[in-house]
Amino acid sequence: MADDATTQGPDREPAHVIADDAEALVLAAALADEFRAGASARDAERRLPRAELDRLSASGLLAVTVPAEHGGADVSARTLAEIFRLLGSADGSLAQIPQSHFAYVNVIRRQGTLDQRKFFFAELLAGRRFGNAQSEAGTRHVQDIRTRLTPRSDGSYELTGVKHYSTGALFADWIPVLARAEHDNLHVAYVPSDAEGVTVVDDWDGMGQRTTASGTVRLEAVTVPADRVLPHHLTFDGPQLHGAVAQLLHAAIDTGIAGGALAEAAEFVRTKSRPWFESGVETAAEDPLLIQRFGELAVQVRASEALLIQAATAVDAARAHLSDDSAAEASVAVAAAKVHAAQTAVEVAGALFEVSGTRSALNSLNLHRHWRDARTHTLHDPARWKIQHIGRYVLNGTRPPRHGLL
């Protein structure tokens, strides 16, 4: 069972069912404002956001991609990206927690049987949360997955392995586990977080995104019924948007972090910074050199926001008419947004100190959380490879690979 596990679904407030994109955006904006107020203290004290996640579940936002025929709002990629941008602007840790949740909802949408979709979509509409147990440490590379699903004579599976960077697992009702089964094909096993043989350890000690609880999941001879296992390897047999959607949400988080850092820098300069004596002005906000720098940073943030919208629009277009070409265009658009957002988040969060002055570096103010969150989150996968794929596509028409990270 999970160490210090969160309260399970049945004891939480029943989830609201969101009707459409407009309602989802209103709720996301309201929750972002609510979560922003305690973000610094949660980070400084490493106080895990259990109550905030329960509010997120109860709002219905975690079920917004459930298909309409199963009772969900089935919001657009543009709306989903905006939800994550809003949450990222408030709390770069909290926004990261449900990113994998939506990735594994997409696996069910694409690979689930009718019965599996009915069951899990009902769980989502009730406010249940998916975690994540996919990455492993000490392997040759990120796709060298060694966790095994071994068939049993009764048709069930035995699941064994150790996962790291398991964001959301500590707070989850269900933990989707990436594992290899017959013929080394990748599958996803959806495992209850309190199942026998499952241990979730809160051992994440990253300098940023401190309250994601992205720790270790140990799986020791866990029994998994056959109807809780999905053939994820089939996702990549044809044109797909699995990687594009997952990366779009990462780009949205980075864009949100950048916007949040810029807003906090502006507030600090308006209310706390002193003007440089050579400027000849009464307040720091009147300093022409600071005004220039804020303008430059604002252009970067606005460019990231525009690229995010463009990428989400490409994903929505591909979703409506999925083909090799539309999927490639969506993946490249998302890659461009992700590259720019990652650069912008790190630059703006660092520039916060440049424009705010010495006092902003006080540890007690915890303004460095923006940079720590940006620097940590942007390490998720290297932007340099995205640039390579963009270049190959533009120059030679080479479609990006179908490996789930584009």
Side-chain angles (χ1 to χ4, degrees):
M1 295 181 62
D3 289 355
D4 193 23
T6 190
T7 304
Q8 294 300 299
D11 297 323
R12 294 199 298 262
E13 179 184 348
H16 170 67
V17 177
I18 291 173
D20 54 28
D21 293 62
E23 184 184 8
L25 291 173
V26 169
L27 285 170
L31 283 178
D33 286 343
E34 180 181 321
F35 296 158
R36 184 176 291 107
S40 179
R42 284 192 299 272
D43 174 89
E45 301 164 13
R46 198 176 180 273
R47 176 159 40 87
L48 300 182
R50 301 184 187 281
E52 289 76 14
L53 285 171
D54 284 349
R55 290 277 293 125
L56 193 61
S57 293
S59 74
L61 284 172
L62 296 183
V64 292
T65 58
V66 170
E69 60 267 28
H70 290 274
D74 200 8
V75 302
S76 67
R78 181 166 175 173
T79 293
L80 188 62
E82 179 63 5
I83 290 169
F84 272 80
R85 189 195 68 80
L86 288 166
L87 294 175
S89 73
D91 186 335
S93 282
L94 186 56
Q96 177 62 25
I97 293 170
Q99 188 274 337
S100 290
H101 169 97
F102 283 99
Y104 286 107
V105 173
N106 280 346
V107 174
I108 295 168
R109 288 186 61 139
R110 185 163 174 106
Q111 299 302 337
T113 65
L114 179 59
D115 285 344
Q116 287 171 329
R117 293 197 300 270
K118 284 181 177 178
F119 174 80
F120 280 114
F121 291 153
E123 287 285 281
L124 292 166
L125 289 170
R128 308 293 190 266
R129 293 194 289 264
F130 290 166
N132 141 38
Q134 52 189 15
S135 294
E136 300 178 11
T139 57
R140 290 181 300 125
H141 50 70
V142 70
Q143 294 205 333
D144 182 17
I145 303 298
R146 301 181 184 181
T147 298
R148 302 297 306 188
L149 272 169
T150 304
R152 288 174 165 167
S153 59
D154 64 358
S156 67
Y157 292 86
E158 179 178 290
L159 178 63
T160 300
V162 179
K163 298 290 188 176
H164 299 269
Y165 312 116
S166 302
T167 303
L170 191 69
F171 315 111
D173 301 292
W174 292 89
I175 303 176
V177 181
L178 198 60
R180 296 199 181 275
E182 299 94 334
H183 311 296
D184 279 344
N185 286 326
L186 279 176
H187 289 66
V188 177
Y190 290 75
V191 179
S193 59
D194 60 354
E196 185 176 355
V198 175
T199 305
V200 183
V201 184
D202 180 20
D203 57 358
W204 169 244
D205 66 348
M207 68 172 182
Q209 295 197 305
R210 297 182 65 213
T211 61
T212 58
S214 300
T216 301
V217 174
R218 296 194 179 96
L219 307 145
E220 300 176 28
V222 179
T223 298
V224 184
D227 62 357
R228 298 293 178 261
V229 177
L230 279 71
H232 189 33
H233 61 100
L234 297 180
T235 300
F236 307 102
D237 279 356
Q240 50 79 38
L241 297 171
H242 179 81
V245 172
Q247 290 290 306
L248 180 70
L249 302 187
H250 284 305
I253 293 167
D254 289 338
T255 303
I257 291 172
L262 183 62
E264 188 145 11
E267 178 65 14
F268 192 94
V269 169
R270 284 193 298 265
T271 61
K272 297 181 178 65
S273 294
R274 297 183 297 178
W276 184 243
F277 72 95
E278 292 179 285
S279 67
V281 296
E282 291 297 316
T283 67
E286 297 173 285
D287 184 332
L289 298 183
L290 281 181
I291 290 171
Q292 176 72 21
R293 187 62 175 133
F294 269 97
E296 293 168 349
L297 296 173
V299 168
Q300 291 294 94
V301 172
R302 284 174 178 250
S304 286
E305 292 170 350
L307 284 169
L308 184 68
I309 291 171
Q310 184 182 68
T313 300
V315 170
D316 283 327
R319 180 179 171 186
H321 303 285
L322 188 61
S323 67
D324 284 329
D325 288 338
S326 66
E329 183 59 34
S331 290
V332 169
V334 170
K338 178 67 165 60
V339 168
H340 196 278
Q343 294 171 343
T344 300
V346 173
E347 179 182 355
V348 174
L352 183 155
F353 304 98
E354 170 197 336
V355 297
S356 300
T358 305
R359 185 181 175 190
S360 65
L362 293 177
N363 198 54
S364 59
L365 295 176
N366 198 25
L367 293 176
H368 48 68
R369 73 185 184 281
H370 299 291
W371 184 87
R372 289 187 289 102
D373 284 345
R375 184 66 281 178
T376 301
H377 183 249
T378 55
L379 298 175
H380 183 273
D381 51 279
R384 58 188 177 273
W385 276 99
K386 297 185 189 306
I387 294 172
Q388 281 283 310
H389 292 305
I390 294 168
R392 291 169 184 172
Y393 182 75
V394 171
L395 185 60
N396 299 315
T398 305
R399 297 188 188 110
R402 299 172 181 159
H403 55 41
L405 290 171
L406 279 168

